[in-house]
Amino acid sequence: MSDSVDVIVVGAGPAGSCAAIVAARAGLSVVLLERGPFAGSKNMYGGVIYARMLDELIPKWWEQAPIQRWVTRRSTMLLTDTQALTVDFRTDAWGEAPYNGATAYRPDFDNWLAGHAEAAGAQLLTSTTVTGLLRDSAGSNRTGAIVGVRTDRPAGDLRARGVIACDGVNSLLAKEAGLYEHTDAKHFTLGVKETLALPKEVIDERFGVRDREGVDIEIIGGTGMINGGGFVYTNLDTVAVGVVLKLSKLAAQSLRPEQVIAGLKANHAIAPLIEGGEVKEYSAHLIPEAGLEMMPKMTANGMLVAGDAAALCLAAGIWLEGVNFAIASGMYAGETAVDAIRAGDVSARGLAGYQKRMRTTFVLKDHRKLRRAPALVLSDRVQHLYPAMVANVAERMFRVDNPQPKPGLRRIFAQERKRAGVRRRDLIRDAWTGFRSYG
Amino acid sequence: MTVVVCLKWVHDAAQPDDVRFGAMSPADHSALELALQCGEWAHADVTAITVGPAQADHILRDALACGVRRAVRIETSHAVSGADVAAAIAAVVADAHWVWCGDYSIDNGSGSVPAFLAAALAARQALGVIHLSFGDAPTIDAGVIEATRRLDGGRREVLEVRAPAVVSVEGATAHLRRAGLTALRTAAAAAIEVIRIATPTRVDDCVVQQYRPRARELAGPDGVSALARVLSLTGAGGARGAASARRTVVLDPLDAAGRILTELREWGYRT
């Protein structure tokens, strides 16, 4: 067996598997390296998988993908200790092909996707951790072209014409390649999730769904003094409940993340949904949440970066996405590697098509458009002042306080704004930022 | 001179096709490592053998990646008993000098296959070994391995084992080496010899039962009335005697330590 291949893909998550599928189908020899004992074993996700990008790679993927439920009911909830205001949307359209979003267990989903990479001809090697990059001997250790990777196995060097780093958040390879100018804890959030087992009929009844229909509730507020958000979503016979917490605030509060989840679970708006559920799993993962602000350079001489490793995670309040960006960036990285290897130029210049592919598609267009959204959603005002203010307005609006006559909505709003301590100009500024991002 | 290691593919019976839930037992890891060491010691190639369906190939590939030369999978037509497994293996490796096994598999294995195998091969047996030392570099067939077995009551038995022999080892006896990257890639594509044997359906051997630990005889509690017996079992109401009476004493630390030791001795926790 030769110790050199065309492409090494590091990490068998959605980005890595899609990159491997594309490169292997183009006839290149591909090795897909995964540190866990099987693809997906190290992965967790507290959200919804939007996999329409797979249409190109795996026609009718929805007929075979191991998904739990198709999200047909999508709620956004503003939560305070005693109030909840929910915008709840449901549509039958998302419950039939080609569907919209799905909940899935990542060890199932990623393993299935890696199976397609193997079927395409990529060689998947598990329990193998990449520990560093191999550089061209002509250059220095810092600047030479990347010509392979070093793994933790004996005689573990493997050379390749191109490396695609899909090694997830906090990418050691992207950092070693010098693609991140700086990293800052404030760019990350910690996602923490409990998976609670409940009988399927109970979940169907509590969430008002049937068969494979599922619910996704995204929550602003409910995380105490720590900026972040919460989520509840349904699997077939489990409910995932969790929080996403800004690292710096979590550290400052010296709270354990499970305490924050416990607080959310005890909230009267959430408790009845999950009552009696047995905790099956507790998991936590870093999320690169700052969007465009933290993104690294995505090409180096001989290497491309995709997925979470390139901070391609969209956390914009009403849109919370990641797997779709991983799939797309993995595909584009695979296509770019194929083109570059065929053209015989895998330098950063030869790989420049990758950036272009991403700039001209949703991958970077969405991030550019929503570049101010992550900071806005995690700002102190949106987190700590607005939920209570809006909930109080709703409470007074719907309260029938006879014999008092109904107050005008404008007056309630002005009073509640003052009571919450929100300055008018801050409100206008935030509204303008939101309008520019979401409008 | 041949060295053989017997491996068992342990899987989730509900999902036999899902390789995520199939693996070797820790004891088999240990046996594989010792077989490889034995091969180096005796200058012999190592053969890995398993009895199981096609999904079991992946543990053989793991063994190939670690340095085994030949991998054989025996496919039986029916579920078979431990004795049949041993007979099937013995038929394939009749000339084996050293046969290594895990002492029992984690899916409620009873540890019977190594013993049956020793009988079928007419070989010596050293079962449940927890420590090994290989003797001087052997001439053909003449090596001696010193094996330490675990006996009841914390006792040990040291055996001098000569070929042909079956040695079964506990999981903690050796730590499996890590396969090299190239070996791992080669093993993924390597051919596995498959031997299909027809096994007669023996109804008595194929009954699938829930695992039940063996019954143990326990002495009944003392006491004339039912209440007295319950009290003596649970220790409620001071039934364990004066030792459980609560006493509060104030002593300086040295005396206090001495007192604690005395009390512990009286209660039977120390000798």
Side-chain angles (χ1 to χ4, degrees), chain B residues 100-210:
Chain B
W100 298 86
C101 305
D103 63 342
Y104 58 87
S105 59
I106 47 174
D107 57 344
N108 303 325
S110 60
S112 58
V113 170
F116 281 124
L117 192 54
L121 290 168
R124 299 175 183 90
Q125 64 178 28
L127 306 183
V129 168
I130 54 169
H131 180 77
L132 279 152
S133 58
F134 293 96
D136 294 333
T139 56
I140 296 286
D141 303 350
V144 178
I145 296 176
E146 193 181 277
T148 309
R149 287 184 70 209
R150 192 195 292 279
L151 299 181
D152 288 346
R155 294 181 181 82
R156 298 284 183 267
E157 179 181 44
V158 181
L159 305 171
E160 276 187 0
V161 191
R162 285 165 211 279
V166 176
V167 187
S168 80
V169 294
E170 289 193 2
T173 310
H175 187 71
L176 180 60
R177 67 192 63 185
R178 216 158 142 61
L181 192 64
T182 311
L184 188 71
R185 295 185 60 212
T186 313
I192 305 260
E193 271 178 62
V194 180
I195 298 171
R196 290 193 175 78
I197 57 167
T199 40
T201 323
R202 292 217 307 250
V203 176
D204 57 330
D205 286 342
C206 298
V207 177
V208 178
Q209 281 182 332
Q210 285 265 307

Side-chain angles (χ1 to χ4, degrees), chain A residues 1-2 5 38 107-108 111 123 125 127 152-154 156, chain B residues 18-21 178-182 184-186 188-189:
Chain A
M1 180 123 326
S2 103
V5 292
F38 59 84
D108 290 344
N111 197 48
Q123 186 174 33
L125 301 179
S127 300
D152 64 337
R153 289 192 175 272
Chain B
D18 198 330
V19 292
R20 290 178 296 173
F21 304 115
R178 216 158 142 61
L181 192 64
T182 311
L184 188 71
R185 295 185 60 212
T186 313

Side-chain angles (χ1 to χ4, degrees), chain A residues 196 198 206 232 263-277:
Chain A
L196 310 169
L198 282 169
R206 287 186 190 174
V232 175
L264 181 68
K265 283 165 72 181
N267 191 296
H268 285 184
I270 306 297
L273 298 175
I274 54 170
E275 194 164 39

Side-chain angles (χ1 to χ4, degrees), chain B residues 52-67:
Chain B
Q55 292 90 331
D57 276 355
H58 83 100
I59 63 167
L60 292 178
R61 292 193 195 286
D62 289 349
L64 284 167
C66 288

Side-chain angles (χ1 to χ4, degrees), chain B residues 176-271:
Chain B
L176 180 60
R177 67 192 63 185
R178 216 158 142 61
L181 192 64
T182 311
L184 188 71
R185 295 185 60 212
T186 313
I192 305 260
E193 271 178 62
V194 180
I195 298 171
R196 290 193 175 78
I197 57 167
T199 40
T201 323
R202 292 217 307 250
V203 176
D204 57 330
D205 286 342
C206 298
V207 177
V208 178
Q209 281 182 332
Q210 285 265 307
Y211 171 70
R212 280 200 205 104
R214 255 172 230 150
R216 276 188 305 153
E217 202 174 319
L218 293 173
D222 297 329
V224 187
S225 69
L227 179 63
R229 289 196 290 276
V230 168
L231 288 178
S232 80
L233 273 178
T234 59
R240 271 179 293 184
S244 63
R246 196 176 296 171
R247 265 167 295 179
T248 307
V249 290
V250 180
L251 298 167
D252 66 75
L254 201 62
D255 292 342
R259 178 65 178 275
I260 289 170
L261 291 175
T262 315
E263 293 284 346
L264 285 174
R265 198 170 296 127
E266 276 177 19
W267 295 345
Y269 293 112
R270 299 185 78 241
T271 49

Side-chain angles (χ1 to χ4, degrees), chain A residues 249-297:
Chain A
K249 293 278 183 172
L250 179 63
Q253 292 281 324
S254 358
L255 271 179
R256 305 266 324 153
E258 61 268 25
Q259 291 174 291
V260 185
I261 293 194
L264 181 68
K265 283 165 72 181
N267 191 296
H268 285 184
I270 306 297
L273 298 175
I274 54 170
E275 194 164 39
E278 183 194 347
V279 180
K280 285 285 180 191
E281 183 188 86
Y282 173 86
S283 52
H285 212 285
L286 273 188
I287 305 170
E289 184 132 339
L292 214 55
E293 194 187 328
M294 69 181 294
M295 273 183 206
K297 272 170 68 183

